Amino acid sequence: MKTVDLWFDPVCPWAWIASRWLLEVEAVRDVRTRFHVFSLALHNEGRPVDGWYRKWLDERWGPARVALAASRAHGDEVQRDLYTALGTRFHRDKAPVSRETILAALASVDLPASLADAAGSSELDADLRAGNRAALDPIGEDLGVPAIHVDGHAFFGPVVSPVPRGEEAGRLWDGVLLVTGTPGFFELKRGRSAPVTS
């Protein structure tokens, strides 16, 4: 079985779609995904970004901090279900990024409400920074999430919408492995022409 490592920020719609795609891939290919926390807010700290994006980031430190606190207290295995609980609320249900939403997600996967306190604490930010480095060191600091590592190769993406399902997900996986395993391959891109849908 092939192990795939995915770094995600719970509030990133592109990471959410990539994660749902990888779960589809698991059903049609012999792979298993491990989930790792990334913080876009921390990643963009001190970087010049548009004002609207800075405001968006400043309001979204909490979910990554809570997810990492859950890993520290209960092991990394909790990320699969916790990320699903958080992401479903944020991305599918369009729930606000709030303490109430985080508490509902924690309760739905039988994790203690006290983990929500990590949202407002910088105590684990050094660990978040280390996680960000682990995700990006092999692919480049100017990128973000989704970050995927597999078979000694690491890359940003894919950025795709909506989520590929079934064998379509498997074919995309096969193609991603082919291009990312090609020495000297760096980028394949086209303009976005559709809204983000999961």
Side-chain angles (χ1 to χ4, degrees):
M1 179 171 288
K2 194 179 297 286
T3 299
V4 182
D5 291 290
L6 168 73
W7 276 262
F8 69 92
D9 186 311
V11 301
C12 175
W14 299 114
W16 171 250
I17 292 173
S19 74
R20 301 309 93 179
W21 163 64
L22 286 172
L23 294 180
E24 289 284 324
V25 171
E26 288 183 355
V28 295
R29 299 293 186 270
D30 195 19
V31 301
R32 178 74 173 170
T33 306
R34 291 188 300 200
F35 294 86
H36 307 276
V37 182
F38 188 94
S39 171
L40 283 170
L42 184 60
H43 176 60
N44 285 286
E45 194 174 43
R47 292 174 183 252
V49 297
D50 289 340
W52 70 268
Y53 188 53
R54 173 66 58 211
K55 182 178 186 305
W56 187 88
L57 288 169
D58 288 348
E59 294 170 351
R60 285 163 175 79
W61 279 86
R65 286 170 165 169
V66 170
L68 187 59
S71 279
R72 292 295 180 264
H74 301 278
D76 292 336
E77 303 77 28
V78 302
Q79 289 310 322
R80 177 176 287 256
D81 291 337
L82 178 56
Y83 181 30
T84 294
L86 288 166
T88 297
R89 286 163 174 78
F90 295 147
H91 303 293
R92 189 195 70 191
D93 301 341
K94 308 301 183 198
V97 177
S98 67
R99 182 176 176 84
E100 292 72 25
T101 302
I102 291 170
L103 285 168
L106 290 168
S108 74
V109 293
D110 297 321
L111 288 172
S114 59
L115 289 170
D117 295 340
S121 170
S122 61
E123 183 178 337
L124 293 176
D125 286 1
D127 290 344
L128 278 176
R129 192 177 307 280
N132 284 11
R133 279 196 309 273
L136 297 184
D137 279 354
I139 62 176
E141 272 298 312
D142 57 330
L143 300 170
V145 290
I148 295 175
H149 297 192
V150 60
D151 285 345
H153 303 287
F155 51 91
F156 167 79
V159 174
V160 60
S161 178
V163 178
R165 304 286 181 188
E167 186 55 29
E168 181 184 337
R171 286 193 307 272
L172 177 58
W173 174 249
D174 297 340
V176 165
L177 288 184
L178 178 64
V179 298
T180 59
T182 302
F185 176 82
F186 296 107
E187 187 171 5
L188 177 67
K189 191 169 184 174
R190 62 181 170 190
R192 297 178 194 164
S193 59
V196 180
T197 58
S198 56

